[in-house]
Amino acid sequence: SEQLFMEMAEVMATEGWRDAGYEFVCIDDCWMAPTRDRQGRLQADPKRVPSGIRRVAQVHSKGLKLGIYSDVGNKTCAGFPGSYNHYDLDAQTFSSWGVDLLKFDGCNSDTLELLAEGYRHMSLALNKTGRSIVYSCEWPLYLRPMQQPNYTEIKQYCNHWRNFHDVYDSWSSIKTILGWTALHQDTIVKIAGPGGWNDPDMASIFVFLSQLVIGNFGLSWDQAVTQMAMWAVMAAPLFMSNDLRHISPDAKWLLQNKEVIAINQDPLGKQGYQITKDMNFELWERPLSGQAYAVAVLNQQEIGGPRNFTFSLTLLGNGLACNPACSVRQVLPASRDWGFYSWVSSLSVEVNPTGTVLLKV
């Protein structure tokens, strides 16, 4: 309902979320009326959004931006009117309402050719409006069962694109996304950069645009730390799917952690990748600006107690990250300086089951 979104916007503005960098309030599927108006335009559901989307766009007065949802096909995934054959009109409508982000789903498109043409057409239509609107695509997700996505083309048209299934509030979901990303990193890591990002998932607003399910009920604390750390390493867009009106202080601390967000938003814009996997440990790195690296040590083991993982610093940055020496700072699960190390040193990191230690080198 519009009341829910306005309440969430108020919390974002007054409780530090906007200042931490969370700018967008995003509306997902089911906001529409079942039919278009007499001029063929999309219209808001009169019960859910009685004042209209333009009224919800008043979140701008709080220094926030508005995201909205539509679909490339005849109908949205929930069966509401899709944008097929209405791309230009819908782009103009969204612009006139003050929309700043469009999540464009891929349900109910008859062929792969129509799917691709629809994503291209809407990209051009959004640009024609003259309004800056972030374009969030699900193009590769719907292509992949039939053919390998052309990420070079997708980046020409989209600002970020969804690669994987809906993320759920469970460790199994988080683990599966990380496994898929590592398996396909040779294809997807090189295409990410300023203006175009891989999105592990973008199903509904916290549920789940690259979704951080932190602050809900399905993840332990260590698993929540893992999601925040790994989404930062993967340079994923950070969209929360949770109720900010009822969130624990610990979850708020984690989601607003400035050091982690700085890694996620690093201006170099390179996506991280898995370096090695050994004995249920995974070692990931992400090149950062200023010749720094984010390093994540993930313990995939789900039973027992904390375990140590020891690795040589020569593994990082193709051997150059610590040459001839480097400082190491732990960012998660708590921040503390580890001091200076020489190029030939090894680090021993203690990690809880399903947890992650995030370092900045």
Side-chain angles (χ1 to χ4, degrees), residues 89-105:
L89 178 59
D90 288 357
Q92 291 162 13
T93 301
F94 297 146
S95 175
S96 71
W97 286 344
V99 166
D100 305 290
L101 179 151
L102 172 64
K103 173 186 168 182
F104 211 40
D105 216 334

Side-chain angles (χ1 to χ4, degrees), residues 41-313:
R41 294 174 300 204
L42 292 171
Q43 50 187 346
D45 182 279
K47 291 183 179 177
R48 292 189 178 98
V49 195
S51 307
I53 299 297
R54 191 177 279 111
R55 164 77 174 83
V56 183
Q58 290 182 16
V59 298
H60 291 148
S61 67
K62 302 181 186 299
L64 298 168
K65 298 176 181 178
L66 180 67
I68 208 164
Y69 170 101
S70 188
D71 191 286
V72 71
N74 289 301
K75 292 183 180 297
T76 72
C77 296
F80 292 88
S83 288
Y84 179 68
N85 274 340
H86 296 86
Y87 300 124
D88 293 290
L89 178 59
D90 288 357
Q92 291 162 13
T93 301
F94 297 146
S95 175
S96 71
W97 286 344
V99 166
D100 305 290
L101 179 151
L102 172 64
K103 173 186 168 182
F104 211 40
D105 216 334
C107 286
N108 301 306
S109 191
D110 292 337
T111 67
L112 294 184
E113 289 74 22
L114 286 173
L115 180 87
E117 176 53 34
Y119 275 109
R120 295 187 201 104
H121 194 150
M122 182 55 89
S123 177
L124 300 175
L126 291 171
N127 282 341
K128 279 184 200 170
T129 68
R131 183 173 181 83
S132 178
I133 299 176
V134 175
Y135 188 33
S136 174
C137 301
E138 308 220 353
W139 192 351
L141 174 70
Y142 287 88
L143 273 183
R144 193 172 281 282
M146 278 72 77
Q147 67 183 56
Q148 178 68 23
N150 180 345
Y151 283 101
T152 302
E153 180 186 27
I154 290 168
K155 187 172 182 177
Q156 279 184 284
Y157 292 98
C158 303
N159 295 122
H160 52 89
W161 45 86
R162 176 180 173 182
N163 284 317
F164 200 64
H165 309 301
D166 291 2
V167 63
Y168 290 98
D169 187 18
S170 75
W171 172 241
S172 175
S173 176
I174 302 300
K175 184 171 61 173
T176 304
I177 289 171
L178 293 174
W180 185 94
T181 302
L183 183 65
H184 294 88
Q185 65 183 19
D186 290 348
T187 304
I188 65 174
V189 166
K190 60 190 176 187
I191 199 65
W197 309 99
N198 289 298
D199 199 336
D201 160 53
M202 29 170 289
S204 80
I205 190 50
F206 236 96
V207 216
F208 293 56
L209 237 44
S210 189
Q211 275 15 351
L212 299 165
V213 285
I214 297 158
N216 295 316
F217 301 97
L219 301 183
S220 71
W221 174 248
D222 287 300
Q223 292 159 3
V225 167
T226 290
Q227 192 191 15
M228 191 68 181
M230 297 308 298
W231 263 233
V233 168
M234 292 189 295
L238 298 182
F239 288 82
M240 299 179 292
S241 273
N242 49 20
D243 189 340
L244 298 177
R245 300 167 303 177
H246 307 104
I247 191 167
S248 72
D250 285 344
K252 183 177 181 180
W253 173 86
L254 181 59
L255 287 162
Q256 291 189 6
N257 188 293
K258 292 181 180 178
E259 287 187 275
V260 185
I261 292 172
I263 290 171
N264 174 262
Q265 299 284 306
D266 185 78
L268 189 62
K270 289 187 176 292
Q271 181 170 334
Y273 41 83
Q274 187 187 99
I275 300 174
T276 187
K277 187 173 183 178
D278 181 47
M279 301 288 289
N280 279 333
F281 279 104
E282 296 181 19
L283 181 65
W284 293 61
E285 73 174 10
R286 178 183 177 184
L288 303 175
S289 53
Q291 298 181 303
Y293 285 82
V295 178
V297 182
L298 167 60
N299 179 3
Q300 284 274 13
Q301 189 158 303
E302 298 182 14
I303 59 173
R307 296 191 303 150
N308 282 294
F309 180 70
T310 302
F311 64 96
S312 170
L313 291 174

